[in-house]
Amino acid sequence: MHTQLHTLIAQLRLQGIAACLDQVLSEAQHNGTAIQDVLTTLLETEYQDRMARALNNRIKSAKMPWSWSIDTFPFKQQPDINKSQIMSLAKLDFIKQLENITLIGKPGTGKTGIAISLLRLALINGYRGRFYNAQDLLNELYASLADRTTSNLLKTIVAYDIIIIDELGYLTLTTEQINIFFKLIDMRYHKKSTIITTNLDYPQWYEVFKNKELVDAMLDRFNHYCTTIYIKGSSLRVPVRPSKEAAKESKLNETPETQVLGETL
């Protein structure tokens, strides 16, 4: 009977049930558990397993380059970021309301970290999303023109509930890339949420896209439903130097052996 059950479960691809079947049945037989309770336990286990695998697939497909999260973001090291505002965005109402976010600041100030943290939260809550480097995205869109797959690629990108376009800066762009990027923004306009990180304030976008009318139209669409966050703090990539007190305490705690080693290094 167990062999037949395992065969049927394997054919139905019930991986969660397969992993716990023998233990649940053994405990049920020993404790005299009611059949409906056994079925409930098996189905709950299967459901949890499917939810976990679905989340892992969403995170893998999102291609996030770093594992930033709201819980690990160093807000204390970047006091210029309004933590209350970010935690408000972390409720993900902006996705439900089909709104955008622009994070503007110098390199290393935490723009990408905030963006990835919000994307990760969205994935955990069942949304589908994707991280894109701006130049890589534009190159991929441009390459799709050669094999005439642009339409399918745009449909794929537009279907995501939320995307990040990271490092929108002084890019090397062709006219075709500029036009396709505008089309992407237009297709997602008030249909899906987009997060853009950039070191350029909006007036500088004209220098990148070199088409005033197109930039006017793009910003009109993107900013219609958008939260813009300016980050003016220093780079998080700068090593934090220990205080004089901490350095003095560290020196006092050194043994003669470690002092010699330090001098050698």
Side-chain angles (χ1 to χ4, degrees):
M1 181 63 72
H2 277 205
T3 301
Q4 185 179 3
L5 279 174
H6 276 292
T7 300
L8 289 171
I9 289 169
Q11 291 174 341
L12 292 171
R13 299 180 180 178
L14 303 176
Q15 298 179 28
I17 291 178
C20 71
L21 179 65
D22 291 339
Q23 180 181 346
V24 171
L25 291 181
S26 177
E27 291 177 355
Q29 186 176 10
H30 181 267
N31 299 325
T33 309
I35 293 176
Q36 59 267 31
D37 292 334
V38 174
L39 286 174
T40 299
T41 299
L42 291 173
L43 292 174
E44 285 180 346
T45 303
E46 179 63 30
Y47 175 77
Q48 293 299 328
D49 180 73
R50 290 194 178 193
M51 292 301 99
R53 284 189 283 115
L55 173 58
N56 287 334
N57 288 335
R58 288 196 300 274
I59 291 176
K60 184 178 180 180
S61 299
K63 299 186 182 300
M64 295 179 290
W66 303 289
S67 57
W68 287 91
S69 73
I70 289 294
D71 295 330
T72 60
F73 188 86
F75 286 103
K76 291 183 179 179
Q77 289 179 238
Q78 189 54 283
D80 193 65
I81 294 177
N82 186 334
K83 183 177 180 179
S84 297
Q85 182 183 30
I86 302 304
M87 298 311 292
S88 178
L89 291 172
K91 296 177 182 178
L92 305 180
D93 289 337
F94 75 95
I95 299 179
K96 299 174 185 176
Q97 296 165 5
L98 310 175
E99 297 176 350
N100 303 317
I101 299 173
T102 305
L103 294 151
I104 301 175
K106 294 180 180 179
T109 52
K111 305 183 301 297
T112 301
I114 292 295
I116 289 177
S117 297
L118 293 173
L119 174 57
R120 183 176 297 278
L121 273 177
L123 299 174
I124 291 172
N125 283 273
Y127 292 104
R128 293 179 63 251
R130 176 71 194 273
F131 177 97
Y132 289 99
N133 171 272
Q135 185 69 68
D136 292 343
L137 171 61
L138 287 161
N139 289 344
E140 185 177 356
L141 288 168
Y142 183 71
S144 70
L145 293 172
D147 54 11
R148 299 180 181 180
T149 58
T150 306
S151 178
N152 290 335
L153 179 57
L154 285 172
K155 287 179 181 178
T156 298
I157 299 172
V158 171
Y160 288 115
D161 300 303
I162 176 174
I163 64 171
I164 294 174
I165 301 176
D166 189 47
E167 296 184 4
L168 184 66
Y170 289 107
L171 309 174
T172 303
L173 303 176
T174 65
T175 301
E176 291 82 2
Q177 286 174 311
I178 293 171
N179 292 334
I180 296 174
F181 186 75
F182 170 75
K183 186 171 184 178
L184 173 62
I185 296 299
D186 184 52
M187 290 175 70
R188 290 185 62 86
Y189 169 61
H190 206 48
K191 295 183 179 69
K192 304 289 183 178
S193 295
T194 302
I195 301 177
I196 290 180
T197 75
T198 178
N199 61 344
L200 306 177
D201 202 349
Y202 292 121
Q204 296 172 288
W205 289 28
Y206 293 92
E207 301 175 43
V208 176
F209 294 101
K210 303 179 179 65
N211 185 323
K212 185 180 185 305
E213 292 183 358
L214 186 144
V215 176
D216 285 341
M218 182 167 60
L219 291 178
D220 179 65
R221 286 164 174 75
F222 192 80
N223 286 335
H224 189 195
Y225 303 97
C226 182
T227 297
T228 300
I229 299 173
Y230 291 90
I231 305 175
K232 299 179 181 179
S234 57
S235 175
L236 294 173
R237 300 190 184 111
V238 177
V240 179
R241 294 184 178 180
S243 63
K244 291 182 179 179
E245 291 76 10
K248 185 184 295 183
E249 183 178 352
S250 175
K251 189 71 174 177
L252 290 173
N253 290 334
E254 285 184 347
T255 64
E257 291 80 6
T258 58
Q259 289 175 355
V260 172
L261 178 60
E263 293 172 0
T264 303
L265 295 174

